Amino acid sequence: MKKGKKLYEGKAKIIYATSDKNLVIQYFKDDATAFNNLKKTTIEGKGVLNNRISEHILNNLSQIGIKNHLVKRLNMREQIIKFVEIIPIEFIVRNVATGSITKRLGIEDGTVLKHPLLEFCLKDDELGDPLIAEEHILAFDWATKHELEKVKKMILRINDFMIGMFRGVGIKLIDFKLEFGRFKSNGKTEIILADEISPDTCRLWDSITDKKLDKDRFRKNLGDLIPAYTEVAKRLGILHEQSNVSSVNVTKLRSIKKKR
Ligand code: TMP
Ligand code: ASP
């Protein structure tokens, strides 16, 4: 498949056209940003890890019937994906309170929520992705009632599946962000899961130690982001244990696996 012109460049990815109007190529950059671009840097290897981790999660979600944009991974940094019209909402799912909700509502960090909490943010960098209510989505036609109901059902299944998948490898799924899009082909429009699911878009804590294995390592200047993402990939069985990352505690990984 031939890579065409650049269609869009975001903070962490670039989208290129292909010869098929329904498909585009998604390129994972090494750029890391936080707090709506206020803080940024380049972390060598991040894009490669996110490409692999997102591929793994989206393929698993496909297998449980969650339709998504991934067609196939092309190489270390690129995937062929379905070209969708993105619904301009960030769907945030929280199982444990941390991050912005603790500051916004004064909730204690680490509070386990009785039920998954779904929040909606308008996807608009200039406005700082403000929190909105479901009513705003309907009032301004960002999505229809029917689309929202469908998305909410998908989100609950995705959360259940991902909690279990990560629990099985000794990781707690604290919260994450999802995006959905409209895929139009043969005169039909279908709502599918889009964007990446990776340690850039999820908060992942080690089940035993609560060590952060996600982009909070960058947001909070904790360092060692690549070893943390590599550990996630290894635990999910995407990379082999021998892979060249010195700070991964392979012995601990083995003992966690044995306990299960
Ligand atoms: P928050 O606590 O900063 O609102 O983030 C909640 C979750 O959403 C966390 O897993 C990080 C993810 N997220 C993104 O992927 N992109 C974003 O732009 C924001 C604000 C959060
Ligand atoms: N992705 C957002 C940014 O680049 C926020 C975040 O992930 O913290 O600013």
Side-chain angles (χ1 to χ4, degrees), residues 241-259:
E241 288 195 354
Q242 305 87 289
S243 293
N244 179 26
V245 173
S246 53
S247 57
V248 170
N249 188 337
V250 174
T251 321
K252 190 174 134 214
L253 272 181
R254 288 207 185 97
S255 76
I256 288 168
K257 280 189 184 147
K258 267 190 210 145
K259 275 184 205 150

Side-chain angles (χ1 to χ4, degrees), residues 46 79 145 197 215 227 234-235 242:
K46 181 175 79 73
Q79 307 179 339
K145 181 92 191 147
I197 302 183
K215 203 167 100 176
K234 285 183 177 178
R235 290 200 197 179
Q242 305 87 289

Side-chain angles (χ1 to χ4, degrees), residues 90 92 94 98-101 104 119 129 175-177 200-203 219:
E90 298 198 341
I92 310 280
R94 300 184 189 271
T98 194
S100 68
I101 194 172
R104 197 186 331 123
E119 291 179 340
D129 296 343
D175 61 24
F176 57 102
K177 188 251 328 183
D200 266 15
T201 63
C202 301
R203 285 200 177 90
R219 295 188 190 98

Side-chain angles (χ1 to χ4, degrees), residues 11 33-37 215 219:
K11 291 187 290 248
T33 67
F35 314 115
N36 208 14
N37 236 347
K215 203 167 100 176
R219 295 188 190 98

Side-chain angles (χ1 to χ4, degrees), residues 4 7 15 47 82 89 91 97 151 162 179 198 212 231 256:
L7 296 178
I15 301 293
K82 292 179 176 166
I89 309 294
F91 297 88
V151 163
M162 282 180 37
E179 293 183 29
S198 72
K212 296 181 197 316
E231 176 142 359
I256 288 168

Side-chain angles (χ1 to χ4, degrees), residues 3-63:
K3 190 156 136 190
K5 68 170 199 276
K6 192 198 275 191
L7 296 178
Y8 169 82
E9 179 157 4
K11 291 187 290 248
K13 293 179 299 283
I14 307 174
I15 301 293
Y16 295 94
T18 71
S19 40
D20 182 334
K21 71 175 182 3
N22 286 324
L23 301 177
V24 291
I25 290 172
Q26 171 168 256
Y27 176 96
F28 286 76
K29 300 195 283 184
D30 281 340
D31 296 351
T33 67
F35 314 115
N36 208 14
N37 236 347
L38 281 178
K39 178 172 167 147
K40 48 183 154 184
T41 191
T42 302
I43 304 176
E44 208 185 315
K46 181 175 79 73
V48 173
L49 284 159
N50 282 347
N51 184 18
R52 295 291 298 271
I53 294 170
S54 192
E55 174 200 20
H56 179 84
I57 297 176
L58 293 188
N59 276 338
N60 275 281
L61 287 171
S62 276
Q63 283 173 18

